[in-house]
Amino acid sequence: EEKEEQMEKINELCDQAKENEESKKVIETFTRKTIRKHNDVKEQTKEELSLWYQGRCQICKKTFAKRDGKNYFEIHLINKTDKWGGGGLIIPGNALCLCPWHKAKIEQGRHTERFIPSKIEKLKLNMKICGKEETIHFKKEHYLFIKAYWEI
């Protein structure tokens, strides 16, 4: 039931965002029908992050081209476990586009602050990662999903 409520909120936010012509194309690609199997959702989330950030790290903007020509990045789940005790949802509102270096620093580093979505201001979140102040940058469309998922 909570998952259904969460999806309703995401869909409401998507409907509101569709009124903004700039967001319309991106938001429409992530619809109710993509919330199916785990792999479908993961691939759709990966496509969205790639579209928004061109496969570049949200912190350092670095990437490299893979053999297939696409930019390499890793999905970092902000919340690794959901409210229902399962694995974290692999949806845009719970994911970051990071290089392997920053993903490892966030997940394994000492002196790393917790990600607090309500502290995102002007599409930026400043937080300490391995004791160093870093800035995570967000695209407007991505922030809409984060706002819905984290109910901020």
Side-chain angles (χ1 to χ4, degrees), residues 17 19-26 140-141:
E19 294 171 13
N20 176 346
E21 209 46 49
E22 202 177 330
S23 302
K24 188 176 182 179
K25 182 181 174 191
V26 176
K140 186 171 25 178
E141 296 85 358

Side-chain angles (χ1 to χ4, degrees), residues 1 3-13:
E1 189 175 301
K3 281 187 180 184
E4 287 176 24
E5 289 175 21
Q6 183 183 23
M7 286 312 304
E8 283 178 31
K9 287 180 184 181
I10 290 171
N11 289 325
E12 283 175 31
L13 194 58

Side-chain angles (χ1 to χ4, degrees), residues 117-120 143 146-152:
S118 60
K119 290 189 174 184
I120 297 171
Y143 177 67
I146 288 172
K147 191 173 173 181
Y149 180 78
W150 294 93
E151 301 173 351
I152 53 174

Side-chain angles (χ1 to χ4, degrees), residues 48-63:
E48 296 298 331
L49 292 172
S50 181
L51 178 67
W52 294 329
Y53 302 104
Q54 292 76 49
R56 297 189 173 279
C57 178
Q58 286 180 246
I59 298 171
C60 67
K61 310 279 192 271
K62 291 183 181 176
T63 189

